[in-house]
Amino acid sequence: VSTTGNATPRANYHHGNLRNALAEAAMGLAREGGPEAVVLREAARRVGVSATAAYRHFAEGQGDLLGEVKNMAQAVLGREIGRALAECEVPGADRRRLAVDRLRAAGEAYVRFAFAEPGLFNTAFCRDRTSDARQPEALHYRESPAYIMLSGLLDELVASGAMPTSRRPFAEAGVWGTIHGLSVLFVDGPLRGITGEERHETVRNAIDGIVRSLTCAED
Amino acid sequence: VSTTGNATPRANYHHGNLRNALAEAAMGLAREGGPEAVVLREAARRVGVSATAAYRHFAEGQGDLLGEVKNMAQAVLGREIGRALAECEVPGADRRRLAVDRLRAAGEAYVRFAFAEPGLFNTAFCRDRTSDARQPEALHYRESPAYIMLSGLLDELVASGAMPTSRRPFAEAGVWGTIHGLSVLFVDGPLRGITGEERHETVRNAIDGIVRSLTCAED
DNA sequence: TGTACATCAGTGAACGCGCGTTCACTGATGTAC
DNA sequence: TGTACATCAGTGAACGCGCGTTCACTGATGTAC
């Protein structure tokens, strides 16, 4: 009843911000069981509200809810990478070295996230009726946080002189593919069950390969 | 009733080889809709048999059936790569060139399969109760056709002198990750919807990167 | 400041759906004598 | 070669489950006068 400085207008209307509460609960489901576990009824149950209530806030029902969770999961991954990059500001290093270190840090953060939060990782990249229908053929991957950050890192690599401009076009896909592929193989694929030791070594080795392929002299 | 040279003993007992028929039908489901579409009841329906009948041939029920389909899908992928390799025997080229060409052909075949048969591709790498339970922590990825072939190709690369031995350890994961990652991003991920042209260019570029990272001079 | 009314966020029961699985069964096939 | 019997591969009805979604509704909140 009190309007104690809640950011949302209309807070404490009935529930307050049911939409956020449902999205948060659904995030929990995604975290625990991946996209298939994002079940509208269960999210409502966890919030303590009838399933019907969700339709006030997610007009399209379950599809809408999953779409929201997917975006949130992508955002979390982006934030995780961002944090790794922020810790990467070694002042002594030269530009080339720094650009390489940052790419490495981002890649490692990506795989680390996939491994630490497999449910969210899978949700971030799941098929999703809502966004599929909205832009059936459009390439909105450019809006994905991971892609944006990767693109910037490659630009840095070129700007620092570590990587020749001729290799810049299409470079995103190769790097993203490698990091994403390793993540997928570790999380759900045939490389699941590998030890942490081996996993780290494998990732480090793969990133070495990426860096080498981007920075080595022409042959 | 006639025992006309059917390979299977007991052929035409009641149905004949119901197990194979169910597996084949389930492959069709996987092809059309991925692992979630592998539904025991529907497979039985397609074969024209009661759902219960399936339990005679897949004791654990749906999990067993899915496991079988998963193996079949992996085998198809392996066969597809094998075919691409078989077409790669250019007699004029030297060993180094040949080894590189073969790796490239295998990678392209992998992505091509993923794109042509997304349902089977997803099924080949889906989580699967049966095999997960059977070897919870064991690394049976070494038995996967894709891994075996990749391993051999890398050996050829070393043997031909194109790739230094020092880079051989852990090399599988990086290459597999790249190819698999691109496939996943194309099939279900943010790179879905890309044009065939761009896709080919991207794959070629990524494989160039792999080859460069394996064969370039130390820096 | 009070009151009538519109709106808006929720409820709860019910729907149809398709799934995996179990049960008691039946009828064809194979086999021992 | 016939016959009684065991086995084996199938049937069909039924179960419980949980889902997404719709429906008519109610009671709190906001608003016009």
Side-chain angles (χ1 to χ4, degrees), chain B residues 7 13 23 28 31 75 88 97 109 115 132 156 163 165 182 204 207:
Chain B
Y13 176 56
R31 180 173 279 116
C88 220
R97 174 69 192 277
F115 203 77
D132 286 8
E156 289 178 27
M163 170 181 170
T165 317
L182 281 179
R204 188 163 354 116
I207 296 184

Side-chain angles (χ1 to χ4, degrees), chain A residues 132 178 188 192 212-213, chain B residues 127 132 178 188 192 212-213:
Chain A
D132 286 8
T178 307
D188 268 337
R192 137 188 49 101
R212 207 186 308 132
S213 78
Chain B
R127 293 214 67 152
D132 286 8
T178 307
D188 268 337
R192 136 188 50 100
R212 207 186 309 131
S213 78

Side-chain angles (χ1 to χ4, degrees), chain B residues 21-215:
Chain B
L22 285 169
E24 216 54 62
M27 269 298 266
L29 296 173
R31 180 173 279 116
E32 295 162 23
E36 304 88 39
V38 177
V39 161
L40 185 143
R41 294 182 78 112
E42 177 64 19
R45 229 173 279 136
R46 293 201 175 185
V47 174
V49 106
S50 75
T52 319
Y55 285 83
R56 295 282 170 199
H57 302 277
F58 298 93
E60 308 283 327
Q62 194 268 348
D64 258 10
L65 181 60
L66 180 55
E68 178 91 355
V69 171
K70 178 176 175 179
N71 287 337
M72 291 170 78
Q74 280 187 19
V76 174
L77 169 57
R79 228 173 296 139
E80 221 54 46
I81 297 175
R83 174 160 22 174
L85 288 178
E87 288 174 359
C88 220
E89 306 293 342
V90 241
D94 64 354
R95 269 184 91 189
R96 293 174 62 132
R97 174 69 192 277
L98 179 64
V100 168
D101 281 356
R102 283 167 62 80
L103 183 65
R104 169 171 278 115
E108 282 170 353
Y110 194 105
V111 179
R112 203 183 312 126
F113 173 75
F115 203 77
E117 295 282 11
L120 291 187
F121 179 76
N122 283 332
T123 306
F125 293 99
C126 73
R127 293 214 67 152
D128 144 46
R129 198 182 52 191
T130 304
S131 66
D132 286 8
R134 200 174 46 214
Q135 316 188 346
E137 289 299 322
L139 300 177
H140 47 297
Y141 64 86
R142 293 173 191 280
E143 299 162 17
S144 151
Y147 182 87
I148 294 170
M149 297 177 116
L150 173 56
S151 220
L153 291 170
L154 292 173
D155 287 343
E156 289 178 27
L157 221 48
V158 171
S160 74
M163 170 181 170
T165 317
S166 65
R167 289 182 192 155
R168 183 65 186 77
F170 294 95
E172 284 92 348
V175 180
W176 198 4
T178 307
I179 298 300
H180 189 77
L182 281 179
S183 301
V184 167
L185 292 175
F186 285 146
V187 168
D188 268 337
L191 259 41
R192 136 188 50 100
I194 209 173
T195 69
E197 190 71 20
E198 286 175 309
R199 181 167 53 90
H200 282 116
E201 188 120 13
T202 302
V203 171
R204 188 163 354 116
N205 195 268
I207 296 184
D208 283 348
I210 291 173
V211 170
R212 207 186 309 131
S213 78
L214 295 177
T215 63

Side-chain angles (χ1 to χ4, degrees), chain A residues 69-135:
Chain A
V69 171
K70 179 177 173 177
N71 287 336
M72 291 170 78
Q74 279 187 19
V76 175
L77 170 58
R79 227 173 296 138
E80 221 54 47
I81 297 175
R83 172 159 25 172
L85 289 178
E87 288 174 359
C88 220
E89 306 294 341
V90 240
D94 64 354
R95 270 185 91 191
R96 294 175 60 131
R97 174 68 193 279
L98 180 64
V100 168
D101 281 357
R102 283 167 62 80
L103 183 65
R104 169 172 278 115
E108 281 171 352
Y110 194 106
V111 178
R112 202 183 313 125
F113 173 75
F115 204 75
E117 294 282 10
L120 291 188
F121 178 75
N122 283 332
T123 306
F125 292 99
C126 73
R127 294 214 68 149
D128 145 46
R129 195 183 53 190
T130 304
S131 65
D132 286 8
R134 200 175 48 215
Q135 317 186 345

